[in-house]
Amino acid sequence: MSKALDGLKILDFTHVQSGPTCTQLLAWMGADVIKVERPGVGDATRKQLVDVEGADSLYFTMLNHNKRSLTLNSKNETGKKVLERLVKECDVLVENFAPGALDRMGFSWERIQELNPRMIMASVKGFGPGPYEDCKVYENVAQCAGGSASTTGFRDGPPLVTGAQIGDSGTGLHLALGITAALLQREKTGRGQKVLAPMQDSVLNLCRVKLRDQQRLQHGPLKEYTQDGEGVEFGEATPRAGNDSGGGQPGKILKCKGWETDPNAYTYFITQAAVWQKICDVIDKPEWKEDPEYATPPARLTKLNGIFGEIEKWTMTKTKYEVMDICNPLDIPVGPILSMKEIAEEPSLRETGTIVEVDHPERGKYLTVGCPIKLSDSEVEVTRSPLLGEHTDEILADVLGYSADEIAEIHESGAV
């Protein structure tokens, strides 16, 4: 079976997480991703958070599946000539260098267009054009600058970053979409273009409901927020809302059976208006169904803490899975708080390819995430990440057409 992006060649100048997330997704979709790394050094994450001595770290392996590794010294004159040929042969160049790095290498956008007018150059930066565009940005900085941290946590506590890598991996996903759109447009115009995904923009896109609430504040309190029911006044900015639901349907994380010893014995419970009467039956509060103090969503808003307190009395008698088994047939929205251990051991996630086991020559077998997007006509097989420079000679020969003698000369020059 052919893959969705078969035939596309991606020149991957990315490192750490945001760029590699993007190029790994393209590789899963069938693109030939050529990861360009410094000879003898490689992507910095190869040696970060090492857990198996002498092997590439999980940080690296889990972000670089299905790619080929080419070592290349772009400061070497022979290396620059090799890079020029790569630019001519590839469809997309993806980079997350510091601002101006490509220019200093002699590969400005204008030079790239001269070499290959069809080239798409995709970049991750911390910020878009403006006063901070030259600033270095990491995951947590992006979460803070993009509005996520200020709206995460409880209102009486400090801002919090989330464990989801919405700055790095979130930006990589946005960039992959931009690249595929640019490729589609190239089919119509014949021209390449620049694609930019600032991390601040990507985080904000994922926090759009909080920007929504910022504007709603101008017209009165946010009544679905718990603090309104508690009589706490709102300030000028969207507040931290704890575990309140962002969609307008009241929700809260509640204890389940075993919470005293299991830090993840909790469930998320949403009191959706459409199933309110069923909730009343489940928690043995049938009188609430007709009581005007509880029967309508507006009436319940000022009593949410008490309502969830009664629901929690019920959830504490059930495991989080029993809560699921009881509520799901009734269309009551609930979700167990799953630990990474539980996710890693869930058989159904192995069957769907959401979690996959990969064998690596240096570290043996390990678990990683599979492709989160499923295409019916483009099945994804997750293959291991490349060793440093593993495919250098292969790429020089197959992609660039160098002879064996020429490859030997390139090695002698110190370019690879």
Side-chain angles (χ1 to χ4, degrees):
M1 184 183 293
S2 65
K3 301 295 181 66
L5 299 182
D6 269 349
L8 286 171
K9 290 183 175 62
I10 311 294
L11 190 55
D12 182 1
F13 269 107
T14 70
H15 56 285
V16 191
Q17 186 179 164
S18 59
T21 297
C22 168
T23 52
Q24 179 171 259
L25 189 61
L26 299 175
W28 280 337
M29 298 295 182
D32 180 11
V33 175
I34 300 169
K35 186 175 180 70
V36 182
E37 302 184 77
R38 282 194 299 160
V41 180
D43 189 317
T45 58
R46 284 185 182 270
K47 300 307 174 188
Q48 286 183 4
L49 306 177
V50 171
D51 61 309
V52 176
E53 194 65 34
D56 288 330
S57 72
L58 287 169
Y59 197 3
F60 175 83
T61 60
M62 293 177 70
L63 286 160
N64 290 282
H65 294 107
N66 296 60
K67 303 178 185 181
R68 296 197 282 177
S69 172
L70 163 76
T71 51
L72 186 65
N73 182 357
S74 59
K75 296 179 180 179
N76 177 292
E77 285 305 313
T78 301
K80 286 186 177 180
K81 291 178 181 178
V82 173
L83 182 51
E84 286 185 355
R85 288 180 67 161
L86 281 167
V87 170
K88 291 177 181 178
E89 289 293 329
C90 292
D91 298 281
V92 183
L93 185 155
V94 190
E95 61 91 16
N96 60 341
F97 290 128
L102 273 179
D103 291 355
R104 292 190 293 273
M105 289 166 55
F107 289 89
S108 65
W109 170 236
E110 291 72 24
R111 178 57 178 152
I112 289 172
Q113 284 185 302
E114 288 176 8
L115 294 168
N116 184 354
R118 289 173 57 82
M119 172 65 78
I120 291 160
M121 189 176 83
S123 303
V124 172
K125 300 301 177 201
F127 296 91
Y132 306 115
E133 61 184 303
D134 293 331
C135 294
K136 183 177 285 189
V137 175
Y138 289 91
E139 168 66 45
N140 288 353
V141 175
Q143 289 194 29
C144 294
S148 174
S150 70
T151 56
T152 302
F154 292 90
R155 66 175 183 271
D156 55 353
L160 291 177
V161 295
T162 172
Q165 303 289 279
I166 61 174
D168 277 326
S169 288
T171 302
L173 296 172
H174 282 89
L175 189 65
L177 175 59
I179 289 169
T180 53
L183 287 167
L184 184 60
Q185 188 171 18
R186 190 180 71 177
E187 293 299 306
K188 304 171 187 176
T189 66
R191 299 193 309 274
Q193 61 180 295
K194 290 194 289 185
V195 180
L196 173 65
M199 295 173 72
Q200 182 186 42
D201 297 36
S202 297
V203 171
L204 179 57
N205 186 43
L206 297 174
C207 294
R208 67 181 66 184
V209 298
K210 300 301 182 179
L211 182 60
R212 172 204 68 191
D213 291 349
Q214 179 63 43
Q215 297 170 88
R216 292 174 58 224
L217 265 177
Q218 299 172 21
H219 304 284
L222 306 175
K223 293 188 176 298
E224 79 281 7
Y225 279 52
T226 301
Q227 77 175 71
D228 184 64
E230 295 173 348
V232 178
E233 290 188 6
F234 287 83
E236 295 181 345
T238 306
R240 292 184 276 285
N243 291 314
D244 288 352
S245 170
Q249 299 288 343
K252 194 170 185 178
I253 290 180
L254 305 177
K255 297 172 183 174
C256 291
K257 188 176 182 179
W259 68 272
E260 299 91 342
T261 56
D262 181 355
N264 294 299
Y266 291 82
T267 190
Y268 197 88
F269 198 107
I270 296 177
T271 55
Q272 188 179 24
V275 292
W276 172 247
Q277 296 202 359
K278 295 178 181 178
I279 293 171
C280 294
D281 288 334
V282 164
I283 65 172
D284 197 25
K285 286 288 183 179
E287 66 275 14
W288 280 0
K289 292 191 286 187
E290 303 300 330
D291 187 337
E293 292 292 312
Y294 293 91
T296 65
R300 293 194 290 272
L301 285 175
T302 59
K303 306 174 188 66
L304 289 178
N305 284 340
I307 290 170
F308 281 117
E310 290 299 317
I311 297 173
E312 189 172 55
K313 289 179 182 178
W314 175 77
T315 60
M316 288 171 65
T317 67
K318 313 292 180 194
T319 69
K320 59 190 178 185
Y321 298 108
E322 289 171 339
V323 172
M324 284 273 289
D325 291 340
I326 293 169
C327 291
N328 278 346
L330 300 174
D331 294 325
I332 299 172
V334 295
I337 307 303
L338 296 180
S339 69
M340 281 296 160
K341 183 176 185 296
E342 289 169 312
I343 290 172
E345 295 173 352
E346 173 53 50
S348 66
L349 297 180
R350 306 289 185 96
E351 293 169 7
T352 59
T354 302
I355 297 284
V356 296
E357 187 175 75
V358 180
D359 201 2
H360 191 276
E362 293 178 340
R363 65 178 304 115
K365 292 182 179 180
Y366 66 94
L367 291 183
T368 187
V369 296
C371 184
I373 302 166
K374 320 297 185 190
L375 300 181
S376 62
D377 283 359
S378 185
E379 186 175 347
V380 175
E381 178 187 358
V382 177
T383 60
R384 68 168 175 84
S385 60
L387 302 176
L388 180 60
E390 180 178 353
H391 306 97
T392 296
D393 289 357
E394 177 181 295
I395 293 166
L396 292 175
D398 297 347
V399 177
L400 301 182
Y402 285 107
S403 67
D405 289 341
E406 289 173 320
I407 292 173
E409 290 176 6
I410 291 171
H411 277 277
E412 290 174 7
S413 74
V416 298

